[in-house]
């Protein structure tokens, strides 16, 4: 099982003073944090795409290109690229460029995204949400599989005997599909034989078992080699030396971000009992000391048959020093025991 970290590039916000960290500052911190991940042997890093004031990163490939020159071994990918509102040709070129810069360490995680800001920004109709994702994912796969492309769709001009440059260092870029709880998305990933990662960010993770089974069935029924199946989870995580202290310190930061997002979605105010349930045996949060984290990650490995665990570690933007400490605990204390 691969062990790594995902981030959205949350910026520090102090609502009492009005302070909002600049993207420049947060990006510099991310570079240092991923350098540490690489040094302590974590397997992969993923960065999200957002177009909001509370996130620093709108173009994952730009950050990954910078990271490719200061890391040596860690895989570098998006988490996610909002493919529905992207140009798959440009996306493939950009990640192929990162693959060249990193000597073959790039990967793409394609998703529909949990926010909708990119649709009006890039001129797409939100009512065509699923059709856009399906067509653009299939074009991206065609670009990855075929050096000379002949393709026709509904949302862009056709490609006729076209080769897209540069080609990646790897024979093919790894392309994962990120899903929430939409059954049709899970089935599509299985039919296409693509690696899948489930974002489990609420409730009891065991409720996702039927979706994992649907994916596995679709994967096998469509003739794909079961031995090559790759399944991951992406879960909100944060680590410290003392189980209760890290919870007490992190709750105000995590809760504030949940409330900022929830304000636009009609969610009730995020509460400490919600947070504590999330940290419990049947909860979705991996927040605590190394013993809690090891126990939970191994539980999910057994429950779902995981080949990848992604700790989403910057929700609410903890301080850079606390992030570095959490990364160090994950890489030096948790990952070796899990392995």
């Amino acid at each position: 099982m691969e062990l790594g970290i995902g981030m959205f590039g949350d910026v520090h916000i102090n609502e009492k003073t009005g302070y909002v960290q600049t993207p420049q500052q947060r990006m510099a911190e991310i570079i240092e944090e991923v350098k540490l991940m690489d040094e302590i042997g974590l397997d992969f890093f993923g960065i999200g795409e957002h177009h909001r004031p509370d996130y620093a990163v709108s173009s994952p490939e730009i950050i990954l290109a910078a990271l490719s020159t200061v890391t040596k071994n860690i895989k570098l990918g998006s988490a996610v690229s909002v493919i529905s509102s992207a140009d798959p040709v440009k996306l493939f070129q950009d990640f192929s460029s990162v693959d060249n810069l990193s000597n073959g360490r790039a990967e793409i995680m394609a998703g529909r995204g949990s926010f909708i800001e990119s649709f009006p920004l890039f001129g797409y109709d939100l009512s065509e949400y699923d059709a856009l994702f399906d067509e653009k994912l299939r074009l991206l796969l065609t670009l990855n599989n075929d050096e000379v492309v002949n393709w026709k769709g509904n949302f862009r001009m056709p490609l006729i005997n076209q080769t897209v440059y540069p080609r990646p260092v790897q024979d093919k870029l790894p392309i994962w599909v990120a899903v929430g709880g939409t059954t049709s998305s899970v089935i599509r990933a299985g039919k296409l034989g693509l690696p899948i990662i489930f974002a489990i960010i609420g409730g009891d993770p065991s409720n996702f078992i039927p979706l994992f089974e649907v994916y596995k069935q679709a994967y096998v029924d469509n003739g794909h080699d079961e031995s090559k199946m790759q399944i991951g989870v992406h879960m909100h995580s944060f680590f410290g030396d003392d189980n209760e202290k890290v919870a007490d310190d992190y709750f105000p930061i995590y809760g504030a971000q949940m409330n900022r997002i929830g304000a636009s979605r009609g969610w009730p105010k995020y509460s400490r009992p919600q947070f504590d349930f999330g940290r419990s045996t049947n909860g979705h949060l991996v927040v605590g000391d190394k013993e809690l984290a090891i126990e939970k990650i191994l539980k999910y490995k057994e429950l779902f048959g995981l080949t990848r665990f992604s700790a989403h570690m910057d929700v609410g933007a903890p301080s850079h020093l606390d992030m570095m400490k959490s990364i160090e605990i994950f890489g030096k204390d948790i990952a070796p025991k899990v392995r």
Side-chain angles (χ1 to χ4, degrees):
M1 180 170 61
E2 292 183 313
L3 299 166
I5 292 175
M7 294 184 186
F8 281 180
D10 298 42
V11 298
H12 306 298
I13 297 174
N14 187 322
E15 293 176 344
K16 292 181 180 178
T17 65
Y19 169 77
V20 179
Q21 184 186 32
T22 66
Q24 179 187 21
Q25 292 171 321
R26 183 65 193 116
M27 288 181 190
E29 290 177 352
I30 291 171
I31 298 296
E32 292 304 309
E33 289 160 8
V34 182
K35 284 171 64 177
L36 176 60
M37 294 176 208
D38 186 51
E39 290 166 5
I40 60 179
L42 290 175
D43 296 309
F44 67 90
F45 169 71
I47 185 70
E49 173 195 342
H50 294 90
H51 308 273
R52 298 164 50 93
D54 45 351
Y55 298 112
V57 179
S58 61
S59 299
E61 49 269 44
I62 300 297
I63 296 294
L64 300 175
L67 286 167
S68 69
T69 66
V70 295
T71 58
K72 295 180 180 179
N73 300 305
I74 194 167
K75 295 178 181 179
L76 301 170
S78 52
V80 301
S81 294
V82 184
I83 194 171
S84 306
S85 56
D87 176 4
V89 175
K90 188 65 168 67
L91 191 71
F92 179 79
Q93 285 182 315
D94 288 346
F95 277 86
S96 182
S97 297
V98 173
D99 203 51
N100 279 269
L101 287 167
S102 65
N103 194 29
R105 292 185 283 128
E107 57 184 34
I108 299 173
M109 188 182 295
R112 299 195 298 182
S114 59
F115 297 91
I116 62 172
E117 289 82 4
S118 64
F119 286 83
L121 184 63
F122 297 118
Y124 289 99
D125 188 340
L126 194 58
S127 68
E128 295 173 328
Y129 188 80
D130 191 66
L132 282 163
F133 180 84
D134 186 72
E135 178 174 304
K136 293 187 174 202
L137 175 61
R138 292 174 188 274
L139 174 54
L140 181 63
L141 295 176
T142 300
L143 295 163
N144 201 31
N145 292 330
D146 303 334
E147 189 160 342
V148 179
V149 176
N150 286 281
W151 178 91
K152 185 177 181 181
N154 297 316
F155 296 104
R156 59 159 293 152
M157 295 295 288
L159 296 171
I160 301 170
N161 294 328
Q162 185 70 59
T163 301
V164 178
Y165 299 105
R167 303 303 297 177
V169 172
Q170 300 175 79
D171 180 48
K172 295 178 184 177
L173 290 173
I175 297 176
W176 290 69
V177 172
V179 299
T182 307
T183 304
S184 60
S185 296
V186 173
I187 293 172
R188 174 166 46 216
K191 284 183 174 180
L192 293 170
L194 296 175
I196 192 169
I197 188 159
F198 291 82
I200 301 180
I201 55 174
D204 183 342
S206 66
N207 293 332
F208 277 75
I209 291 175
L211 286 176
F212 281 82
E213 295 303 321
V214 164
Y215 170 76
K216 293 173 184 177
Q217 193 67 51
Y219 190 97
V220 172
D221 286 351
N222 284 271
H224 304 295
D225 184 350
E226 191 171 0
S227 68
K228 296 180 179 179
M229 187 185 299
Q230 297 181 71
I231 301 175
V233 292
H234 161 102
M235 305 181 78
H236 292 169
S237 308
F238 205 73
F239 312 119
D241 291 322
D242 182 273
N243 197 39
E244 296 308 318
K245 186 176 187 303
V246 70
D248 291 341
D249 291 346
Y250 188 46
F251 168 70
I253 298 167
Y254 185 86
Q257 180 67 344
M258 291 296 101
N259 287 330
R260 278 190 288 270
I261 296 170
S264 63
R265 300 185 178 185
W267 295 349
K269 187 175 177 62
Y270 191 77
S271 68
R272 181 63 192 253
Q274 283 178 274
F275 182 75
D276 291 337
F277 172 78
R279 295 181 62 245
S280 71
T281 301
N282 296 320
H284 66 285
L285 295 175
V286 191
V287 175
D289 60 16
K290 63 183 179 182
E291 285 80 15
L292 179 147
I294 292 165
E295 181 180 346
K296 279 202 160 188
I297 293 170
L298 290 174
K299 175 184 175 179
Y300 303 139
K301 163 71 174 172
E302 181 70 21
L303 191 64
F304 300 127
L306 299 181
T307 63
R308 174 174 284 199
F309 176 84
S310 176
H312 183 177
M313 202 179 283
D314 67 340
V315 180
S319 75
H320 178 52
L321 288 177
D322 288 343
M323 284 290 296
M324 294 290 275
K325 179 67 174 178
S326 182
I327 292 164
E328 186 172 34
I329 291 171
F330 189 34
K332 292 186 175 181
D333 299 328
I334 297 169
K337 291 290 182 64
V338 170
R339 289 169 179 147

